[in-house]
Amino acid sequence: MDQHVAEAVGRPDLIRLDDRLVCLRFETMKVVSALAAVRHLLETGAVRRGDTLLDSSSGIYAYALALACHRHGMRCHIVGSTTVDHTLRTQLAVLGATLEQMAPCADLKLDQKRRVERVHEILTAHPEYHWMRQYHDDIHYLGYRAVADRIREATGADGLTVVGGVGSGASTGALARYLRGGPAHPEGPADVQLVGVQPYGSVTFGAEHVPDPEIIIAGIGSSIPFGNVSHELYDTLHWISFDAALAGGVDLLRRHAVFAGLSAGAAYLAARHERDRAPGRTVLFIAADTGHRYVDTVYARHREAARIADLAPHEVSDQSRLALPWSRMPWNRAPGRLPGTATGHDEQAPESDRFIAS
């Protein structure tokens, strides 16, 4: 029996959509990483019960950290994106979390920069607060070990392709590391391919020069470099526009009755493509949250969604050739950004904050 609702919320469902396509469906995925991170900080003495944990969030992590703080008797302070909606604001308030939300802003890159600046201001005023650094401290990898074990048990690991939004890098990066194992793993190294999904406009893999006229998909892209993204883990990248992700989300609900967020729609599109390219592999994609936040912006527009049969990626060899609405590029586990790409506003964490997930 669970001791707190956060444990139930963070437990994913594995849903087989067809013989080679599997959905890893979460109610709120980042609860997995937030719970494990807070537990580790308490166990190592880095924080104590009653301390205040601080971070910036576009939405999902805010709720996850609030639940983890509620579970472990901590205070929670969130600098929230302009995208945080009324439902989440209400939940955070009732859970006792402090939310500072950015003023409305059409430019999510500027929104992210302003949030980081505000975090630094808060830390100056309250040096006793602990900054969780979800984007840089790979303590957030820890919670995905149990998820990887469950995937391995249900699907095996050899011949598995994992597809998911990159975001902070913790979820896809951790799953790849844990699933691949290594010489010391009881079952030995496994053949696991990792496919990252990015929005246009994100700097993480060098697409900041290609804007999406609709919106950068919050949560899976970034306007600043993230220390938690281990580029060398990724085999392939897909850049998917808002419109294409909308079509994927609507098809996922219509065809498979899975009601998930916009990033899941994008991952579903990429996963179907990777499944069709590699007949011998099982493809698992991540649905990080439910579709409730997207009812008005995505699902209410279901009649205008393109047929996914009419969508296919542009195959490109470098980022200069990226084009809307969907591009695919081999990454081949390259170590870091490719030469010649620009960077955004840096928010690197000090080396002392790096936790190596083994």
Side-chain angles (χ1 to χ4, degrees):
M1 183 180 296
D2 294 319
Q3 300 303 306
H4 191 273
V5 69
E7 295 155 8
V9 169
R11 186 181 302 111
D13 303 309
L14 277 167
I15 305 167
R16 184 171 292 282
L17 305 187
D18 65 31
D19 60 340
R20 292 191 301 107
L21 186 63
V22 177
C23 177
L24 180 67
R25 177 195 173 275
F26 291 87
E27 181 175 340
T28 305
M29 180 181 69
K30 289 191 175 181
V31 172
V32 173
S33 54
L35 272 178
V38 173
R39 186 183 309 118
H40 180 82
L41 290 170
L42 286 166
E43 290 172 350
T44 58
V47 300
R48 295 176 297 178
R49 287 176 64 88
D51 284 354
T52 297
L53 304 183
L54 167 71
D55 216 339
S56 161
S57 172
S58 61
I60 297 177
Y61 187 79
Y63 179 54
L65 186 60
L67 285 178
C69 287
H70 189 277
R71 168 71 176 85
H72 291 290
M74 316 290 289
R75 295 184 175 89
C76 179
H77 192 129
I78 296 293
V79 178
S81 168
T82 185
T83 59
V84 174
D85 62 18
H86 173 71
T87 300
L88 179 55
R89 289 196 300 271
T90 303
Q91 287 176 289
L92 293 175
V94 175
L95 285 168
T98 298
L99 171 67
E100 293 187 41
Q101 187 171 9
M102 293 293 102
C105 176
D107 185 349
L108 290 188
K109 296 180 182 180
L110 178 60
D111 175 82
Q112 194 169 46
K113 177 178 180 291
R114 285 165 35 187
R115 282 188 278 137
V116 172
E117 291 171 346
R118 179 56 187 151
V119 165
H120 285 290
E121 291 172 357
I122 294 169
L123 288 171
T124 299
H126 296 280
E128 74 278 11
Y129 286 8
H130 182 87
W131 185 14
M132 292 298 293
R133 293 184 177 93
Q134 64 152 321
Y135 304 130
H136 298 297
D137 191 343
D138 57 3
I139 190 174
H140 291 89
Y141 278 43
L142 291 173
Y144 295 101
R145 182 188 290 275
V147 178
D149 289 343
R150 186 174 173 202
I151 292 169
R152 184 183 291 107
E153 180 181 346
T155 70
D158 267 330
L160 179 67
T161 298
V162 175
V163 181
V166 176
S168 70
S171 58
T172 49
L175 288 176
R177 285 185 180 177
Y178 293 137
L179 285 167
R180 284 171 182 163
H185 192 276
E187 299 177 19
D191 170 21
V192 175
Q193 297 281 304
L194 181 59
V195 177
V197 178
Q198 283 273 275
Y200 292 93
S202 174
V203 309
T204 308
F205 286 89
E208 60 269 39
H209 61 292
V210 185
D212 186 333
E214 283 274 4
I215 193 172
I216 184 172
I217 304 173
I220 69 168
S222 176
S223 65
I224 58 176
F226 286 168
N228 265 345
V229 178
S230 297
H231 294 74
E232 69 278 4
L233 295 174
Y234 295 85
D235 297 283
T236 305
L237 268 296
H238 287 251
W239 289 267
I240 295 179
S241 71
F242 176 91
D243 288 339
L246 182 152
V250 169
D251 191 87
L252 179 60
L253 178 57
R254 180 178 289 136
R255 190 185 303 260
H256 299 290
V258 175
F259 184 47
L262 191 59
S263 68
Y268 170 66
L269 269 189
R272 284 174 55 92
H273 182 78
E274 295 299 324
R275 177 201 61 188
D276 294 342
R277 286 178 64 96
R281 303 185 68 84
T282 296
V283 180
L284 176 145
F285 71 94
I286 299 171
D289 60 350
T290 66
H292 295 89
R293 289 201 300 162
Y294 306 92
V295 170
D296 293 331
T297 56
V298 174
Y299 290 99
R301 298 169 58 181
H302 63 92
R303 290 183 181 85
E304 65 188 73
R307 295 191 324 131
I308 61 169
D310 296 333
L311 298 174
H314 303 283
E315 297 288 341
V316 302
S317 56
D318 63 73
Q319 294 98 322
S320 68
R321 300 179 180 275
L322 293 176
L324 295 162
W326 181 5
S327 296
R328 178 186 185 274
M329 187 177 85
W331 187 260
N332 299 322
R333 306 190 188 185
R337 296 164 55 88
L338 292 181
T341 55
T343 59
H345 300 278
D346 201 356
E347 185 209 340
Q348 293 295 337
E351 286 300 313
S352 61
D353 288 324
R354 299 290 288 159
F355 178 88
I356 305 303
S358 58

